[in-house]
Amino acid sequence: MRGLTRRALFAGSGAGAAAALLPAASAAAKPRPEAGSAGRKSSGSCVSYRADYHFTVPDQWKNDPQRPVWIDGEYHYYYLYNADYLAGGEAGTAWRLATTTDLVSFTDRGVAVPKDTTVNGDVWSGSAVVDAGDTAGFGAGAVVAVVTMSPGGGTDHQEQFLYYSTDGGRTFTNHGTGPVLPNPGVADFRDPKVIRDEDRDRWVMALAEHDKIGLYHSGDLKSWTYAGGFVKDGIGVLECPDLFRITADDGTGKWVLGASADGTGSGQPNTYAYWTGSFDGGAFTADSADPQWLDHGWDWYGAVTFEKRDAVGSVDPAARYALGWLNNWAYAQTTPTIDADGFNGTDSVVREVTLRKSASGAYYLASRPVAALDSYVSRTLNLGDLTVDGTRLLDCTGVSYELTTEITWSRLTGAGVQLRRSPDGGRHIDAGVYDDFAFLNRRGTVNPDTSGNRRESRSPFDPSARRVRLRILVDRTSVEMFVDDGRYVHSSEVFPYLVDDRLALFTIGGPAVFRNTVVREFAV
């Protein structure tokens, strides 16, 4: 189903749709046609909610990202795509492809793995690998994808199937219609994540199995042997698992196991849970039973991490990239982009992820926006140091930009930024710190959560530090806040009216100085 229409809600909000970031600036540049962040606007409308510098599906629908793969000098980004979405049904997904060399600007390449070409129906999430050693027999360098399908057209019988490509990952052929990993008789059995275990010269798969991540190994990608499993209850059904090795900032090599999960029932996020630990080829042993979360907002789901490579393809063992679907299954059909632009599907910016050791000795993943985003800066406004006691409205406007600042104080209850503030000050998104937590609050603007349960996200904060660094990425329907060194991130959908383009700083309980405050906009 298309879901709730937003036409009435957003009618008349086009005034100021091209609002510039700087008072004297011209309208923000629109993405180029054929770029992954581009797409067709609805005919006869000057209103656009399509993101200016985030990846968006060209038309129709997208959901889960598939882990990008490095092929012939560029990343191949596959994602779940439904070309029939606006026709009135959730009629299954294909894998659509976009390519990129810098993870900011994407080029659409169309559907790579079609749906409904076999008796097994549409293709769900999985992962692709480059089979450099020809272990599967399709040729050295063939791209092999292991995907979930549900034979019979239902959703309760999930099995893993194989597709392969001999043209560099542009088009795929099915390897018969039988599963390479049959269902053993369970309801949830999906989202295979395949990696190469070089230490043991074989492939390893992590598979989502309700409250367990099953671990399997294979020599040829065509037959799989169960090796063990990692069980975690209390955070909903585990989906889209992840497994990788990374070198921490102290030189220690660690394994990380991750999965998308809904922890809202126990007061935890609804994003990407992860555990650091060790992996012996069959069993993953976590450093702690409780997960950490790579994002504390409401809308960073189905996330994937992937190798960071340089221009010649060398892998950086101390960093990875990550991106997530900027949506939530609790309200996945709700967005103004359906009526304004004819699509539903936006991703987060790509992040660089590193592993760090805390003062307590625990390891955690830190995130920052991909460095290549700096190459697309079109305007910069250096505001310097600003003293605030209460609310201070800034003399700049915009609907998509980045704000960075370091807030310092001697005695204070809270401080932060009012983003996408309305002309009368009645609507805004609040981001900052209060007492012992950092927060992103979308309660004061139009947003997809009608239940009221997902209005404010929180993460821990130590007020004794008396300072906090914020880097906030704002686009037409999203906010991503990186706190301090990226130890905590909050990503959430927001749907402000396009006339809501003001920006203000605020404090609660005393004055603060917003140091080195900089606002930048991007042209992608």
Side-chain angles (χ1 to χ4, degrees), residues 59-378:
D59 55 34
Q60 302 288 342
W61 163 275
K62 83 166 293 294
N63 54 300
D64 294 2
Q66 309 302 299
R67 181 188 59 206
V69 185
W70 180 264
I71 304 170
D72 297 332
E74 59 186 1
Y75 286 101
H76 283 51
Y77 170 42
Y78 304 96
Y79 58 90
L80 296 190
Y81 168 74
N82 180 10
D84 302 310
Y85 177 66
L86 294 177
E90 297 177 22
T93 50
W95 276 26
R96 189 159 181 156
L97 169 65
T99 58
T100 177
T101 56
D102 63 8
L103 300 171
V104 177
S105 177
F106 294 79
T107 300
D108 177 48
R109 301 296 184 184
V111 171
V113 186
K115 63 180 178 181
D116 302 329
T117 57
T118 77
V119 296
N120 298 314
D122 62 326
V123 289
W124 298 6
S125 282
S127 55
V129 296
V130 177
D131 187 12
D134 192 21
T135 64
F138 302 119
V143 183
V144 179
V146 183
V147 305
T148 299
M149 302 177 77
S150 184
T155 61
D156 57 354
H157 185 72
Q158 303 158 13
E159 300 185 299
Q160 317 319 313
F161 296 81
L162 189 149
Y163 283 76
Y164 67 94
S165 171
T166 57
D167 64 358
R170 295 296 180 91
T171 61
F172 286 77
T173 302
N174 66 81
H175 176 59
T177 57
V180 294
L181 181 57
N183 190 304
V186 298
D188 297 305
F189 197 69
R190 60 179 179 266
D191 307 338
K193 187 63 59 63
V194 177
I195 65 171
R196 185 69 182 168
D197 184 354
E198 297 292 356
D199 293 341
R200 298 161 188 87
D201 192 28
R202 63 188 186 187
W203 301 98
V204 171
M205 176 197 295
L207 192 68
E209 303 176 27
H210 196 71
D211 62 352
K212 181 180 78 171
I213 298 175
L215 298 170
Y216 301 77
H217 62 77
S218 172
D220 61 4
L221 296 166
K222 297 176 180 177
S223 59
W224 294 87
T225 301
Y226 180 73
F230 178 82
V231 177
K232 177 60 181 178
D233 57 14
I235 54 174
V237 176
L238 304 180
E239 297 188 286
C240 303
D242 198 11
L243 178 65
F244 60 89
R245 180 162 50 189
I246 188 170
T247 302
D249 58 355
D250 67 349
T252 302
K254 302 289 289 186
W255 282 87
V256 177
L257 183 68
S260 286
D262 185 357
T264 53
S266 55
Q268 300 179 81
N270 182 186
T271 60
Y272 178 106
Y274 72 90
W275 298 260
T276 61
S278 59
F279 177 63
D280 64 5
F284 176 84
T285 302
D287 294 332
S288 172
D290 294 327
Q292 300 185 72
W293 298 83
L294 200 47
D295 198 291
H296 282 69
W298 296 116
D299 303 308
W300 202 72
Y301 201 75
V304 292
T305 71
F306 54 104
E307 294 171 332
K308 179 185 178 183
R309 294 179 180 263
D310 62 19
V312 297
S314 297
V315 176
D316 184 348
R320 288 179 72 81
Y321 291 126
L323 80 158
W325 179 43
L326 275 174
N327 211 335
N328 188 308
W329 283 116
Y331 40 71
Q333 314 294 340
T334 305
T335 173
T337 62
I338 295 174
D339 293 318
D341 304 277
F343 81 94
N344 182 352
T346 302
D347 286 341
S348 71
V349 295
V350 175
R351 308 173 181 177
E352 182 178 320
V353 177
T354 55
L355 186 66
R356 299 182 182 180
K357 188 175 184 179
S358 68
S360 67
Y363 291 92
Y364 66 91
L365 294 174
S367 305
R368 64 179 180 181
V370 63
L373 192 61
D374 292 340
S375 301
Y376 292 88
V377 174
S378 58

Side-chain angles (χ1 to χ4, degrees), residues 4-34:
L4 177 67
T5 178
R6 310 294 286 184
R7 186 182 305 277
L9 179 59
F10 291 94
S13 61
L21 174 61
L22 307 184
S26 60
K30 292 294 184 288
R32 298 183 298 274
E34 302 304 320

